[in-house]
Amino acid sequence: MSGRLPTNWFNEFVGRIEHEVPLAPMTWFKLGGRARHVYRPADETQLARMIGYAHDDDVPTRVLGGGANVLIRDDGVDGIVIRLDEPPFRKIEFRDDRVIAAGGTDLMRLTLECARRGLSGLECMAGIPGTVGGAIRMNAGGRFGDIGEVVATARLLNLEGKIETLNAEQLGFAYRHSNVGQRIVLSAELQLRQDDPESVMDRYNEIWESKKSSQPMGANSAGCIFKNPPGDSAGRLIDQAGMKGDSVGEAEVSRDHANFIVTRKNATARDVIRLVERIRQTVRRKFDVELETEIDIW
Ligand SMILES: Cc1cc2nc3c(=O)[nH]c(=O)nc-3n(C[C@H](O)[C@H](O)[C@H](O)COP(=O)(O)OP(=O)(O)OC[C@H]3O[C@@H](n4cnc5c(N)ncnc54)[C@H](O)[C@@H]3O)c2cc1C
């Protein structure tokens, strides 16, 4: 496996590929090294062609959405990092109470736009950063609901560059899980309910306020670090273990929400990873509970 691009197909994508690109600015943690290549496809057809070539030549690919749930290691990532930020990947179509949103669509923008139109069902996502694709992949959500509850179908690009359409059952949504796996979410059809715009906006604002008051929204973080173990809350366990405010280097367990790690200037990804391990060990020792990370570490 090599992350270098074979010259025979590289020329086809000139102008859309950058090399040795710092990834930190593309993530909410603002940490980590470079990508060997960053590719911004013009449209789905071009993306599918690239994925097909990369598959045939064994060049690793990953898609980076809003970077709100990833931690990039300090030595960066090999292969091609794909960004879906050209207009075809950010398109939203409203069809009565159904919405078709492309995978690179900003989730906060979509959530607010639906609420303004009185389309109910997505307001539970108020204040959750990232893209539609990233949210579907991990079935993002919280105590007010998860995105999977409104996904009717999703179009996915598989590793061979072929498009598959999966319905909600096939997508297998569960707590912070879907069956998307290594495939790329190109778009999703969301089934919402037409309601009174004022009452949807009220619910949206209520959920947004509740998030703002319980999470360090302004800090560099990637949201919750760990999934909640069955029947319990990771934040509660970390708090009970007395770890709020604990730090490694410039990474600290948030004092506002124990399941968040926030970083200060000059933090490294290594600081965060060491703190994650320390939390995991402490919780295991004190409560005999194995915490599983919710964030993706690249
Ligand atoms: C302040 C803050 C608050 C947060 N609050 C919440 C919360 O309340 N609930 C919650 O669930 N999460 C929360 N998060 C985490 C994050 O917002 C969600 O996980 C979000 O869905 C990540 O989307 P993204 O586009 O940023 O994904 P990224 O971080 O870019 O990527 C995450 C994973 O998804 C994959 N991915 C990205 N785009 C696609 C695509 N198009 N197709 C397939 N795979 C893709 C990536 O390869 C990676 O594996 C929070 C994060 C922050 C920073």
Side-chain angles (χ1 to χ4, degrees):
M1 182 176 85
S2 155
R4 289 199 185 283
L5 297 177
T7 45
N8 54 338
W9 52 269
F10 166 71
N11 286 342
E12 190 175 334
F13 303 99
V14 164
R16 300 230 152 250
I17 298 187
E18 292 171 90
H19 310 281
E20 298 303 327
V21 184
L23 291 177
M26 300 178 197
T27 70
W28 277 64
F29 254 134
K30 303 279 178 255
L31 296 176
R34 292 165 188 265
R36 174 100 71 162
H37 314 283
V38 166
Y39 168 55
R40 292 185 159 81
D43 54 31
E44 287 185 2
T45 311
Q46 202 194 58
L47 172 63
R49 228 171 25 239
M50 160 67 92
I51 292 290
Y53 289 145
H55 173 74
D56 292 347
D57 282 332
D58 223 2
V59 176
T61 57
R62 307 157 186 266
V63 57
L64 181 63
N69 202 44
V70 287
L71 173 66
I72 314 282
R73 288 180 196 274
D74 297 314
D75 48 5
V77 297
D78 205 5
I80 305 172
V81 170
I82 297 160
R83 298 232 58 202
L84 306 178
D85 45 17
E86 291 292 342
F89 296 106
R90 291 188 284 114
K91 213 169 113 194
I92 307 174
E93 245 179 89
F94 292 92
R95 293 188 191 161
D96 301 322
D97 55 1
R98 289 203 162 206
V99 179
I100 298 161
T105 303
D106 183 280
L107 184 66
M108 284 175 140
R109 177 181 147 228
L110 177 68
T111 303
L112 179 59
E113 187 54 37
C114 289
R116 280 192 180 134
R117 289 170 182 248
L119 288 168
S120 173
L122 206 58
E123 62 274 22
C124 59
M125 306 301 287
I128 301 184
T131 61
V132 166
I136 290 178
R137 183 179 181 273
M138 59 96 68
N139 191 18
R143 63 194 168 99
F144 302 98
D146 301 331
I147 195 165
E149 291 163 30
V150 297
V151 175
T153 60
R155 287 170 60 253
L156 309 178
L157 186 69
N158 69 23
L159 280 175
E160 281 138 43
K162 302 271 181 309
I163 296 176
E164 304 168 20
T165 302
L166 268 60
N167 62 28
E169 195 187 335
Q170 294 165 319
L171 285 162
F173 291 113
Y175 170 65
R176 300 299 159 263
H177 169 85
S178 78
N179 293 334
V180 169
Q182 300 282 17
R183 293 171 286 198
I184 297 176
V185 178
L186 294 174
S187 65
E189 187 170 348
L190 311 179
Q191 177 67 64
L192 304 174
R193 280 182 321 280
Q194 190 66 58
D195 199 344
D196 167 40
E198 208 173 308
S199 56
V200 184
M201 269 315 291
D202 284 350
R203 275 200 301 279
Y204 170 93
N205 285 326
E206 222 174 278
I207 293 170
W208 202 179
E209 285 306 321
S210 131
K211 256 188 93 71
K212 272 196 287 196
S213 64
S214 61
Q215 298 182 356
M217 298 298 291
N220 292 342
S221 81
C224 288
I225 293 286
F226 298 101
K227 292 185 184 181
N228 288 326
D232 210 332
S233 141
R236 189 194 71 81
L237 291 169
I238 300 165
D239 191 5
Q240 293 281 298
M243 297 197 77
K244 269 189 176 173
D246 267 18
S247 62
V248 170
E250 299 303 316
E252 181 181 287
V253 178
S254 166
R255 291 165 202 271
D256 297 326
H257 190 310
N259 199 11
F260 274 54
I261 289 179
V262 294
T263 56
R264 295 183 287 261
K265 201 166 163 259
N266 299 328
T268 60
R270 189 161 177 269
D271 292 341
V272 177
I273 291 168
R274 286 177 55 210
L275 187 53
V276 165
E277 279 320 309
R278 184 189 289 177
I279 296 170
R280 223 202 291 260
Q281 280 168 19
T282 308
V283 168
R284 188 187 300 131
R285 200 177 58 243
K286 294 205 169 175
F287 305 111
D288 196 24
V289 173
E290 193 60 39
L291 291 179
E292 188 191 332
T293 46
E294 179 171 312
I295 56 163
D296 246 2
I297 302 178
W298 288 10

